[in-house]
Amino acid sequence: MTTIGFIGTGKIGQTIAFNVLMGGYTDEAILYDIIPDLPQKFEHELRHALASRRLRTEVMGTNSLEDVSSCDVIVITAGKPRKPGMDRRNLFVENAKIIAGLARELPKRNDAIYIMVSNPVDMMASIFMKLSGKYTISTGDQVETMRLRSYIAKVLKVPVNYVGGYVGGEHGDDAVVLWSTVSIKDEPVRDKVNKEEVEKYVKDIPGDIIKVMGGTTWGPGTIIEEIVRSIVLNENKVMSIAFPHYFEDEIVHISEPVVVGSKIGPSLESLLDEKDRWHLISATKDFYTFYKESLGKLQIVV
Ligand SMILES: NC(=O)c1ccc[n+]([C@@H]2O[C@H](COP(=O)([O-])OP(=O)(O)OC[C@H]3O[C@@H](n4cnc5c(N)ncnc54)[C@H](O)[C@@H]3O)[C@@H](O)[C@H]2O)c1
């Protein structure tokens, strides 16, 4: 029996929950938000969709955090989204307060897996794990990884399943394409693509979507569902998600290709070339510097 909890049922929370429930692999879902009646009405929407698909998943909308306590996997999307032109890191203070509150208030199960989605996602995962002591991952650069593959497939006019490769580091503007992993039909990509153009696309496209559509929903909503599925069904897929790394005196969440199943790991970092590994170390240091400074500003909360 698997129960999945969703903390936050706004735009991205709804999309992930819908995708997960339509996958038919969970027995129960608990939907939680602070907005009165929102999760309850979303519950009805999902019940109608489940009836149409003839799926027997139980679903409950609630405004009580206590109800999420028995879940096996908990997806956290609570928090503010960025506005057009805004950097994800600008959300740090506002969202850290929400995430710190959840880390303190959420009745915890020791063996649950917490999946952070709220931005800046990797730092929110680190804060949640630091304050709650519970194992937390972040959706990290799996979203960028799919943006990378889709763009290369489009420019080279090849089926997207021919394209391999991962993006790593911190989710957002500092993400790095791990070029030693990028391949077409298992052959290294070499100079078949304009690397600068690819990197620009991966970084710019979410902001461009936000300008027109108000937020990114369908891409991340589907990609994050795949992370949930890989954990629940123990599929052991290699994905570029961020998991806890111990650096200096902090836990930091940095993405690199790693096996994702009911347990996270092993990492495939040792298979990357020297340049890509150097980029990951540099991303870790940069993360740490910003994170430490920002934690300092949050002294009242943390
Ligand atoms: N990791 C990714 O790839 C990715 C992709 C898309 C969005 N996001 C991030 O996800 C977050 C949510 O985005 P959105 O578009 O769904 O925003 P949204 O405003 O539509 O939804 C956020 C929801 O969080 C709820 N909320 C706020 N505080 C809460 C609390 N303490 N407990 C429970 N719920 C609470 C709000 O009531 C709201 O319903 C943002 O930080 C956004 O940047 C991340």
Side-chain angles (χ1 to χ4, degrees):
M1 169 103 182
T2 307
T3 305
I4 305 185
F6 296 90
I7 297 185
T9 55
K11 234 175 167 188
I12 191 69
Q14 287 180 17
T15 318
I16 301 166
F18 172 78
N19 276 303
V20 166
L21 265 66
M22 293 306 107
Y25 52 81
T26 181
D27 302 290
E28 197 179 7
I30 310 291
L31 316 162
Y32 165 78
D33 202 287
I34 47 169
I35 298 179
D37 218 24
L38 170 67
Q40 290 83 350
K41 290 298 178 287
F42 181 41
E43 170 195 318
H44 282 279
E45 279 266 80
L46 288 175
R47 282 186 183 281
H48 307 162
L50 288 163
S52 175
R53 296 273 169 96
R54 297 180 179 274
L55 291 168
R56 294 168 55 179
T57 309
E58 253 319 306
V59 51
M60 181 177 88
T62 178
N63 295 118
S64 163
L65 195 54
E66 183 79 33
D67 292 329
V68 187
S69 61
S70 60
C71 294
D72 306 286
V73 175
I74 298 174
V75 180
I76 304 178
T77 64
K80 292 273 181 260
R82 49 185 185 132
K83 298 195 175 81
M86 199 177 183
D87 188 290
R88 291 170 186 81
R89 282 181 173 185
N90 297 145
L91 293 167
F92 185 98
V93 173
E94 203 169 354
N95 283 350
K97 289 179 185 167
I98 294 173
I99 298 306
L102 287 169
R104 293 207 179 97
E105 289 161 31
L106 188 62
K108 291 152 206 105
R109 259 184 60 169
N110 285 328
D111 53 347
I113 290 193
Y114 295 82
I115 305 176
M116 186 60 64
V117 180
S118 315
N119 272 315
V121 65
D122 303 319
M123 294 188 189
M124 294 304 107
S126 300
I127 289 197
F128 186 82
M129 188 161 166
K130 179 184 172 83
L131 297 183
S132 69
K134 302 301 165 198
Y135 189 80
T136 310
I137 58 168
S138 138
T139 55
D141 288 332
Q142 184 62 7
V143 172
E144 276 94 338
T145 292
M146 292 304 147
R147 289 175 182 149
L148 168 89
R149 294 184 192 179
S150 78
Y151 185 70
I152 292 179
K154 184 171 148 68
V155 294
L156 293 183
K157 298 187 175 52
V158 297
V160 73
N161 58 320
Y162 285 10
V163 185
Y166 299 89
V167 177
E170 187 188 340
H171 171 67
D173 291 343
D174 292 330
V176 280
V177 176
L178 302 170
W179 283 109
S180 64
T181 65
V182 182
S183 64
I184 314 293
K185 270 188 137 179
D186 295 329
E187 290 293 319
V189 68
R190 297 208 174 85
D191 54 1
K192 289 194 191 92
V193 290
N194 179 327
K195 292 185 175 167
E196 270 176 35
E197 233 175 69
V198 173
E199 284 165 0
K200 187 169 166 18
Y201 175 84
V202 169
K203 280 183 195 178
D204 291 353
I205 192 61
D208 295 346
I209 294 172
I210 289 172
K211 265 185 218 150
V212 178
M213 297 181 71
T216 55
T217 327
W218 300 103
T222 307
I223 296 160
I224 294 167
E225 183 273 330
E226 208 190 343
I227 299 173
V228 174
R229 181 158 28 103
S230 204
I231 291 170
V232 171
L233 301 179
N234 195 22
E235 289 183 328
N236 290 320
K237 283 190 182 151
V238 177
M239 296 179 165
S240 190
I241 61 158
F243 57 97
H245 295 65
Y246 295 86
F247 185 76
E248 304 277 352
D249 55 339
E250 292 290 350
I251 295 166
V252 301
H253 283 74
I254 288 290
S255 289
E256 62 200 39
V258 61
V259 176
V260 178
S262 55
K263 296 268 178 294
I264 307 299
S267 159
L268 276 66
E269 184 260 354
S270 61
L271 303 179
L272 302 175
D273 73 4
E274 209 175 314
K275 198 170 169 193
D276 284 345
R277 287 164 72 190
W278 180 86
H279 278 306
L280 291 182
I281 294 166
S282 158
T284 306
K285 288 181 182 162
D286 183 56
F287 176 114
Y288 178 82
T289 308
F290 182 87
Y291 181 62
K292 273 306 236 195
E293 272 172 32
S294 307
L295 282 182
K297 289 181 200 153
L298 269 181
Q299 257 167 5
I300 314 157
V301 183
V302 180

